[in-house]
């Protein structure tokens, strides 16, 4: 698997985590967009796993977490669970020296 393919899997897993947590609180995508301040088209791409990894980051993770009343680490724990279910490894890239 190429690094690009691996990144796409991570983005899909994050999107799946967002959908899961949003549905846990019975919130529509439109409501999440409104409460988080994230434009609906971007939120849709995040949830669908089609957003580029450069189009969202820590700021969006925190806004989504706050909107569904979770600490960011809880959203990331859900993401990590989905990653592990797919068998994608973390930290396969070499650390810079």
């Amino acid at each position: 698997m190429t690094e690009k393919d691996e990144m796409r899997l991570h983005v899909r897993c994050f999107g799946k985590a967002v959908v899961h947590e949003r549905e846990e609180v019975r919130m529509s995508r439109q409501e999440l967009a409104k409460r988080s301040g994230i434009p609906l088209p971007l939120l849709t791409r995040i949830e669908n796993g089609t957003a580029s990894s450069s189009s969202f980051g820590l700021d969006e993770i925190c806004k989504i977490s706050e909107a569904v009343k979770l600490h960011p680490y809880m959203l990331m724990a859900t993401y990590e669970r989905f990653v592990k279910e797919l068998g994608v490894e973390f930290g396969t890239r070499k650390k810079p020296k």
Side-chain angles (χ1 to χ4, degrees), residues 38-92:
I38 297 172
L40 184 58
L42 175 57
L43 182 60
T44 299
R45 289 193 310 275
I46 290 170
E47 287 194 347
N48 290 337
T50 58
S52 68
S53 58
S54 63
S55 64
F56 71 97
L58 186 57
D59 188 48
E60 288 77 17
I61 291 168
C62 291
K63 287 178 178 181
I64 290 167
S65 298
E66 185 177 329
V68 295
K69 304 207 183 313
L70 283 177
H71 289 284
Y73 76 87
M74 292 300 295
L75 176 59
M76 297 311 292
T78 302
Y79 148 77
E80 186 175 340
R81 188 178 86 228
F82 289 126
V83 168
K84 287 181 179 178
E85 285 176 7
L86 282 179
V88 179
E89 294 183 26
F90 284 99
T92 55

Side-chain angles (χ1 to χ4, degrees), residues 5-52:
D5 291 335
E6 186 176 324
M7 185 58 67
R8 284 186 190 129
L9 284 175
H10 283 279
V11 171
R12 269 190 260 148
C13 288
F14 181 73
K16 190 174 176 180
V18 171
V19 171
H20 174 82
E21 297 300 348
R22 176 176 59 76
E23 289 177 347
E24 281 290 307
V25 295
R26 293 174 166 54
M27 187 183 295
S28 70
R29 184 181 289 160
Q30 291 78 7
E31 184 66 20
L32 178 55
K34 182 179 174 182
R35 288 186 185 201
S36 67
I38 297 172
L40 184 58
L42 175 57
L43 182 60
T44 299
R45 289 193 310 275
I46 290 170
E47 287 194 347
N48 290 337
T50 58
S52 68

